[in-house]
Every structure is written in structure tokens, then in C-alpha cells.
Amino acid sequence: MRALPGVKVHQNESFDEAYRRFKKQTDRNLVVTEVRARRFFEPMTEIRKKQKISARKKMLKRLYMLRRYENRL
């Protein structure tokens, strides 16, 4: 597991500034998204199903872009 983000408050720094820095760190480390993903147990079949759907979307998007490019020629 990754180290959790932490912020040391500098002298003459307001709480809002420190909180803003902390929020940036959590966004960069994807803490919130990881917590949401782990919130409920997801069986392997569901994970595979989502991967299959995303692979199909990706393929269709590439096909659409390729056809669009060919039409320009």
C-alpha cells in the first residue's frame, strides 16, 4: 500500500492554504478514486466484464477515427 499523503503546515500559513495543498496531494495520488473502487467487493467476473466492455469501446472508437480519417482522403 502507498504512503498516505500528509502536509506539514508552514509558519504563517493559513489552514485553507494547507488544506488546498493536501487536496492536491490526494488528487495526484488517486487516493479518493482508489477508496471508491475498494468500497464494495467486486467479483472477478464483474471486473472481466467491465474490461471487455472497455476494450470494445476502445476498439470502436479507433475504428470510428480510422473511418473518419479515410473519408478525408
Side-chain angles (χ1 to χ4, degrees), residues 9-70:
V9 181
H10 302 298
Q11 254 181 339
N12 301 328
E13 183 180 26
S14 70
F15 172 78
D16 292 330
E17 291 170 347
Y19 181 63
R20 215 173 288 129
R21 283 194 302 129
F22 177 75
K23 279 180 62 176
K24 278 185 184 179
Q25 278 188 1
T26 55
D27 288 343
R28 283 190 202 122
N29 292 336
L30 302 174
V31 172
V32 176
T33 53
E34 190 173 335
V35 168
R36 283 185 184 151
R38 293 173 183 247
R39 192 169 183 182
F40 301 105
F41 175 75
E42 201 170 59
M44 201 59 199
T45 55
E46 289 292 320
I47 295 171
R48 274 189 245 126
K49 186 177 180 181
K50 285 182 181 180
Q51 287 175 345
K52 200 174 186 180
I53 291 170
S54 68
R56 180 177 166 79
K57 281 184 181 179
K58 194 175 184 180
M59 182 195 64
L60 288 174
K61 184 178 178 181
R62 285 186 180 176
L63 185 64
Y64 168 76
M65 294 302 283
L66 181 66
R67 286 184 179 163
R68 189 171 164 201
Y69 175 75
E70 286 176 349

